[in-house]
Amino acid sequence: MGALAYTGPSDSLMKIANAVAYGGSILPSSPPAPNSSYQQDFSGPAFVCSNASSADYAGFETALKSATSVGALLEENPTYLAWAPVGADDDDLYNLHSSPSDPLFDATMNSTSIGMYDLPTF
Amino acid sequence: MYNSTGVYNTTGTFETIILAECTLRNVSYSVYFDSTNGAQILTIDRKDVLNDLQAGVVFDAWEPAAGDNSVDFTNATLMQQDSYYQVAAAYAQIVVGQVSYLSGVPYTDAPINTTSIGPLLGNTNTAVTEFVSALETLLTNVTLPLFSNPDYL
């Protein structure tokens, strides 16, 4: 255990992210002057999505098959679907992981991946 | 079009899985702000992908190993990547959910289900394509307001 421990994004950042996600639109900003227009060029983060790689796909499928064969166990161990970065040692590796830890539902992903699983409640 | 497969759940029902892969990139934006008619209109052009972002170096900085004092918090590249991953982490808190089984029936509990793009979730390729596009847009929409907040400039 290091001296520093990451506890997640700041509350102020979550406030903006939640407002955008639940509001469904970009939050307005204050223009520098009334009736003004301007352009900004900058670099920033973006997600670029595509089909999952065959390796990720196979890992996800194996993990999910393992998980669905032990439904009684999962009832006691709620498990994350979707992505969750947990690796601190390997570049660009993510694990599809569970909380609490469940080795039956552990698949290494090569990048941030999103599994969309057709569930009755959707 | 996204590939799909499926598994049988504990009740014997075949469940379809469609898997998309989203990677965090450093891209160039060009945003035109127009408030000449009272309401603000943004025209967003996401231009070139500048580079991929490697997560490991950032995670190491977040939680260095015991005794490891090598993290340079003045390194501009590291700090830029850290900032990007903070935004991505905020986004992930909204999207990541849980799958649980209750009496053999799977159900999910993810914050995104209650957001404006939650209803787009579905298992057809058309629905997934629309949903993934909305996911890409959501991160952009989270990013842009940061430039109007002095705390993040």
Side-chain angles (χ1 to χ4, degrees):
Chain A
M1 184 74 177
L4 298 176
Y6 179 65
T7 57
S10 67
D11 290 342
S12 56
L13 178 55
M14 283 308 303
K15 180 180 176 183
I16 292 175
N18 284 328
V20 170
Y22 294 109
S25 61
I26 299 174
L27 301 181
S29 60
S30 300
N35 296 320
S36 62
S37 61
Y38 58 99
Q39 181 166 322
Q40 281 190 326
D41 298 312
F42 54 89
S43 58
F47 273 124
V48 180
C49 300
S50 61
N51 243 324
S53 70
S54 56
D56 285 353
Y57 201 81
F60 191 93
E61 186 178 19
T62 299
L64 199 53
K65 283 179 176 174
S66 297
T68 53
S69 68
V70 288
L73 176 63
L74 287 174
E75 186 175 351
E76 300 169 0
N77 297 283
T79 304
Y80 289 115
L81 189 63
W83 77 77
V86 297
D89 299 319
D90 300 315
D91 285 355
D92 206 20
L93 285 180
Y94 289 74
N95 285 343
L96 185 69
H97 80 143
S98 58
S99 178
S101 178
D102 178 359
L104 290 171
F105 205 79
D106 183 24
T108 299
M109 315 296 278
N110 289 322
S111 60
T112 308
S113 299
I114 304 168
M116 272 150 282
Y117 184 31
D118 177 32
L119 296 173
T121 52
F122 284 178
Chain B
M1 296 286 288
Y2 293 97
N3 295 330
S4 64
T5 185
V7 294
Y8 286 96
N9 67 19
T10 53
T11 63
T13 303
F14 192 75
E15 303 281 358
T16 301
I17 304 166
I18 297 174
L19 194 66
E21 187 170 78
C22 299
T23 53
L24 187 63
R25 308 286 182 89
N26 182 25
V27 305
S28 62
Y29 287 95
S30 182
V31 183
Y32 183 71
F33 297 80
D34 184 359
S35 59
T36 53
N37 293 318
Q40 188 173 70
I41 299 173
L42 273 62
T43 304
I44 304 165
D45 182 16
R46 202 178 73 178
K47 291 183 174 177
D48 304 322
V49 174
L50 302 176
N51 55 274
D52 293 337
L53 296 168
Q54 299 295 311
V57 64
V58 176
F59 294 147
D60 285 345
W62 282 353
E63 296 197 25
D68 180 4
N69 298 314
S70 64
V71 178
D72 179 9
F73 290 100
T74 64
N75 181 291
T77 300
L78 174 62
M79 289 301 99
Q80 182 201 38
Q81 292 195 18
D82 172 72
S83 299
Y84 284 12
Y85 271 94
Q86 296 289 357
V87 177
Y91 176 92
Q93 284 197 17
I94 297 169
V95 177
V96 170
Q98 290 182 321
V99 173
S100 304
Y101 278 73
L102 186 62
S103 300
V105 178
Y107 68 94
T108 62
D109 181 17
I112 199 167
N113 289 335
T114 59
T115 69
S116 56
I117 65 172
L120 298 178
L121 279 165
N123 72 328
T124 66
N125 255 298
T126 301
V128 169
T129 300
E130 191 177 357
F131 178 70
V132 169
S133 175
L135 285 174
E136 291 178 331
T137 301
L138 178 59
L139 186 68
T140 298
N141 291 353
V142 169
T143 299
L144 293 179
L146 301 180
F147 289 87
S148 65
N149 187 324
D151 292 341
Y152 298 103
L153 292 177

